[in-house]
Amino acid sequence: MGMPFWRRESVSISGLFFFVYFVLGALYPLLSHYLKSIGMSGTQIGLIVSVGPIVAIFAQPFWGMLCDRFQMSRQILSSILLCAAAAALLLLWGGRSFIAFALLYGLLHFFQSGAVPISDGLALQYAAHTGIEFGRIRQWGAIGFAVATLVAGLLADWFGLGAIFYVYTVAQLGAFACLRGVRTERSMGTVNVFKGLARLVRIPRYMLFLMSAFLIFGPINGNNIFFGLLYDSLGGQVAGIGLAFLLFAGSEAPFMKWSGFFIQRLGLEKTILIAGLVSALRWLWYGTSPSPTAVLILFFIQGFSVGLYLASAAQFVKENTPDGLRVTALSVYTSMGLGLGSMATNVVGGMLVDAYGILTTYTFFGVLTLLGLVPLTLVTWFVKRKDTVLQ
């Protein structure tokens, strides 16, 4: 007998998350090295890296509203994955100059930025129907990212840094294949997303959470950009950077899987608050110049902070926004953190590196995250959920 459909769908949606995050692990950790290898200056690399978050600020809400308006999340995500795969090859073949690479990189991010929030929406829908915890699905994204850092690094050593774009393309096709086994359900009637956005703005818990995401999510992504500089300044070897990313990303998976345990015992809001506090303490500790060995030994801090935060944050958005606007709400949240928050953090962080050094940048990350705990505290203890807004 064949595998039951619900089981096949579980494999498909886990595979989807594996590949959606595999593409991120294949491309971004080695992107700056690739740009340097084709003659880009440090300033040019910084400007190119900033293109992604800038595009995401506008692209993610666009894709979210499109999904909620037409109730075709799976079809839209299919198109996004194929277009992103094609854009990666264009980037490799045509992005030899600064202007050309920046434009094509922006095109890639226009499609790429929609994949994560739409996938989250599909997974949350699946979790609601099956009773499976979202963190158990989301953990496959962390596993995919971790495996990708190893695979892409090895292939880049064997065939050159350009290999990361081929790995990216193949992984997008893998995500497309897995998506074919994922079902979606349409809401009754169409959704007026512009009126829906006005409804989202009137949800105090959601707006406070967006403020928090801007302040907490930015440093999380800023660490992906600046960790290499930090590790080098601490006296670590270049080879240790790849090992650190592998350990960091790998540690997220078990904590995402265990997120349901923490949520059941502490509550959703307190789980997010604790994850944010651990993130703040981590950045402040990095700012004190610890030994590279200590950073590697305590790799699991990333899992306890980032893993718990990412798994719990998407669930918070789902539970505090209307069902018909779920993808829009997730996209705006991702745009605020991954887009606007990352852009602002990277710009200020880079200025601090030039003026005061990398340790000051990480102290800044810690202070920023502590500020992000303020709106989270309001959400946890003072601003209660109003179910009438979610109808």
Side-chain angles (χ1 to χ4, degrees):
M1 294 180 64
M3 185 184 297
F5 185 85
W6 68 268
R7 182 59 179 168
R8 294 201 305 271
E9 187 175 14
S10 177
V11 172
S12 295
I13 202 161
S14 297
L16 172 65
F17 268 75
F18 178 88
F19 285 114
V20 162
Y21 284 87
F22 190 102
V23 302
L24 306 181
L27 181 62
Y28 297 120
L30 293 174
L31 180 61
S32 60
H33 296 280
Y34 172 79
L35 292 172
K36 185 176 180 181
S37 73
I38 62 174
M40 299 289 181
S41 68
T43 299
Q44 288 175 324
I45 292 173
L47 291 172
I48 287 173
V49 168
S50 298
V51 168
I54 292 172
V55 172
I57 292 170
F58 304 100
Q60 285 171 332
F62 167 77
W63 291 119
M65 289 188 290
L66 203 63
C67 288
D68 285 331
R69 172 64 179 83
F70 296 103
Q71 298 293 307
M72 298 175 65
S73 293
R74 189 164 69 93
Q75 294 86 338
I76 292 171
L77 181 56
S78 294
S79 300
I80 284 175
L81 297 175
L82 293 178
C83 290
L89 296 179
L90 288 175
L91 195 59
L92 173 63
W93 299 333
R96 308 306 297 181
S97 68
F98 169 71
I99 296 297
F101 195 98
L103 291 174
L104 291 172
Y105 188 64
L107 177 66
L108 181 143
H109 260 272
F110 175 72
F111 297 109
Q112 171 62 51
S113 61
V116 170
I118 297 175
S119 299
D120 282 348
L122 292 174
L124 287 166
Q125 183 184 80
Y126 175 77
H129 286 296
T130 61
I132 295 175
E133 295 166 353
F134 173 73
R136 290 181 176 271
I137 303 171
R138 180 60 178 79
Q139 68 171 325
W140 288 101
I143 294 171
F145 189 98
V147 172
T149 59
L150 177 62
V151 172
L154 290 174
L155 293 178
D157 284 339
W158 295 339
F159 302 108
L161 286 166
I164 63 178
F165 296 97
Y166 292 110
V167 176
Y168 178 100
T169 299
V170 171
Q172 292 285 26
L173 296 178
F176 175 80
C178 291
L179 183 59
R180 292 170 61 87
V182 178
R183 292 178 296 175
T184 57
E185 290 189 359
R186 293 171 178 257
S187 298
M188 297 301 294
T190 59
V191 177
N192 187 321
V193 294
F194 295 103
K195 289 183 178 179
L197 284 174
R199 292 174 64 191
L200 291 177
V201 172
R202 294 197 300 270
I203 302 175
R205 287 168 62 83
Y206 178 69
M207 296 305 296
L208 286 168
F209 190 73
L210 289 185
M211 293 171 56
S212 175
F214 173 84
L215 295 166
I216 294 177
F217 217 141
I220 288 174
N221 285 281
N223 177 62
N224 294 334
I225 302 298
F226 293 104
F227 179 78
L229 295 178
L230 172 72
Y231 197 76
D232 181 65
S233 74
L234 298 178
Q237 301 298 315
V238 174
I241 298 174
L243 174 61
F245 271 110
L246 181 63
L247 292 173
F248 290 162
S251 73
E252 293 179 16
F255 282 97
M256 288 180 175
K257 183 177 181 179
W258 301 331
S259 62
F261 171 85
F262 289 95
I263 292 170
Q264 288 177 4
R265 282 155 181 76
L266 301 175
L268 183 58
E269 293 82 359
K270 290 181 182 178
T271 298
I272 299 172
L273 186 65
I274 290 173
L277 177 61
V278 174
S279 276
L281 296 176
R282 178 191 182 191
W283 308 140
L284 292 173
W285 176 55
Y286 282 3
T288 65
S289 189
S291 70
T293 302
V295 170
L296 292 179
I297 290 175
L298 297 177
F299 70 93
F300 58 87
I301 295 177
Q302 170 140 337
F304 192 85
S305 57
V306 178
L308 278 183
Y309 180 85
L310 292 177
S312 304
Q315 187 171 333
F316 179 91
V317 173
K318 172 186 175 293
E319 293 185 3
N320 289 273
T321 55
D323 286 342
L325 294 167
R326 180 178 299 157
V327 182
T328 298
L330 284 167
S331 298
V332 172
Y333 146 71
T334 308
S335 175
M336 181 62 68
L338 187 61
L340 190 59
S342 295
M343 181 188 69
T345 302
N346 290 341
V347 170
V348 178
M351 294 170 61
L352 291 174
V353 168
D354 291 338
Y356 303 104
I358 188 64
L359 296 181
T360 301
T361 295
Y362 272 85
T363 301
F364 165 69
F365 286 175
V367 173
L368 209 61
T369 305
L370 285 175
L371 292 175
L373 299 181
V374 175
L376 273 182
T377 300
L378 294 175
V379 165
T380 302
W381 281 289
F382 299 102
V383 182
K384 302 302 180 183
R385 170 174 165 167
K386 295 181 180 179
D387 290 326
T388 54
V389 182
L390 307 184
Q391 301 302 316

